[in-house]
Amino acid sequence: MLYYLFKYVLIGPFLRLTSRRVVTGREHFPERGGALLVGNHQSVADWLFTALLMPRRVTFLAKSDYFTGTGVRGILSRWFFAGSGQHPIDRTNADAAQAALDAGLEVLSSGEILCIYPEGTRSPDGRLYRGKTGPARLALRAGVPIIPVGVTGTPEYVRRISRFRPGRRTEIRVMLGEPLDLSPWAGREGDRDAEREITDELMRRIQALTNQEYVHDTYGAEMKKRYEAVRKAGRNLLDHPVEGQR
């Protein structure tokens, strides 16, 4: 009930008012039963528009900290993330990947729609990065359709909204691809080679939807660390200029 209050009353109307939305591939979205959506991740707004524009509830996995806070802030956080379709997982223990897998299986076995971002983090520069194999592992074990999703326009939308820029509304495109047929990998649950093959194929399909540059041999988290190292080196150079640059 709270989810639909957010979608149709609290958040949805604002997103509709401040953006132009285009959805393609609706015929690939299942009318019933569990399914796994696997998409690119460029912005904090990706999940908001994905949830808004799908005809059924879409669940996302979120760290449990959002649900365990205390005081007024904790109550508001719990209310927002529970109401907007988030499912808590514990990312602090040594087996966080297994916790995410178990939580995902719980959602899918209930016949619900789950959305996961295989890059594991938001893209640091707008490019599409190497996918992690967790979604493929989850789809093989759950036996559900796995559907590539491409979202574009959300970085521009967030920049415009955060700076309160009036003018033409940003176009947000949510594109659903044809479900990936997993029958070639039937019976290969737990096979890392199979999971990598499925993941690479999914990332290629996402790239075909979004037309992003695809960095197939680097994880997004690795690139973030490289960028941070460059920024840190630049700050150190400004704080401590070498001889001859003073």
Side-chain angles (χ1 to χ4, degrees), residues 62-70 74 77-78 81 88-92:
K63 59 182 181 182
S64 58
D65 295 9
Y66 294 143
F67 298 83
T68 58
T70 58
S77 175
R78 186 161 52 252
F81 284 99
I89 58 171
D90 184 2
R91 296 180 177 176
T92 60

Side-chain angles (χ1 to χ4, degrees), residues 118-138:
E119 290 173 277
T121 186
R122 289 196 296 272
S123 172
D125 54 18
R127 295 186 291 178
L128 183 69
Y129 284 89
R130 181 178 174 87
K132 296 186 177 181
T133 58
R137 185 178 310 119
L138 180 58

Side-chain angles (χ1 to χ4, degrees), residues 24-25 42 47 64 81 107 118 120 124 139-140 155-156 158-159 190 207 243:
T24 61
Q42 297 188 84
W47 65 272
S64 58
F81 284 99
V107 173
L140 284 171
E156 295 82 0
V158 170
R159 284 194 293 270
Q207 192 277 333
E243 192 66 31

Side-chain angles (χ1 to χ4, degrees), residues 8 17 45 93 98 118 156 185-186 188 216 220:
Y8 295 113
L17 181 65
N93 61 36
Q98 184 61 47
E156 295 82 0
W185 298 278
R188 296 180 65 184
H216 64 87

Side-chain angles (χ1 to χ4, degrees), residues 63-229:
K63 59 182 181 182
S64 58
D65 295 9
Y66 294 143
F67 298 83
T68 58
T70 58
V72 175
R73 184 174 180 178
I75 293 173
L76 291 175
S77 175
R78 186 161 52 252
W79 181 70
F80 175 79
F81 284 99
S84 56
Q86 309 291 314
H87 186 92
I89 58 171
D90 184 2
R91 296 180 177 176
T92 60
N93 61 36
D95 202 2
Q98 184 61 47
L101 180 64
D102 292 342
L105 285 171
E106 180 182 343
V107 173
L108 294 171
S109 64
S110 299
E112 299 179 20
I113 305 294
L114 178 68
C115 183
I116 292 181
Y117 300 117
E119 290 173 277
T121 186
R122 289 196 296 272
S123 172
D125 54 18
R127 295 186 291 178
L128 183 69
Y129 284 89
R130 181 178 174 87
K132 296 186 177 181
T133 58
R137 185 178 310 119
L138 180 58
L140 284 171
R141 294 191 182 183
V144 298
I146 183 166
I147 304 168
V149 181
V151 179
T152 61
T154 53
E156 295 82 0
Y157 174 83
V158 170
R159 284 194 293 270
R160 186 174 65 81
I161 292 299
S162 63
R163 297 170 185 174
F164 301 100
R165 289 183 175 177
R168 188 179 181 183
R169 294 177 298 170
T170 305
E171 181 179 275
I172 307 296
R173 299 185 68 89
V174 178
M175 300 158 284
L176 301 176
E178 184 178 352
L180 177 62
D181 179 12
L182 296 181
S183 60
W185 298 278
R188 296 180 65 184
E189 296 178 23
D191 184 330
R192 293 189 177 183
D193 290 337
E195 293 166 1
R196 172 46 59 192
E197 292 168 10
I198 293 170
T199 301
D200 290 344
E201 177 60 26
L202 282 169
M203 300 311 292
R204 285 190 289 269
R205 293 189 179 204
I206 293 171
Q207 192 277 333
L209 294 170
T210 65
N211 202 33
Q212 292 171 265
E213 180 182 346
Y214 179 29
V215 187
H216 64 87
D217 58 353
T218 305
Y219 291 109
E222 294 176 358
M223 186 57 70
K224 278 188 174 181
K225 290 180 180 179
R226 295 180 192 176
Y227 283 141
E228 181 56 33

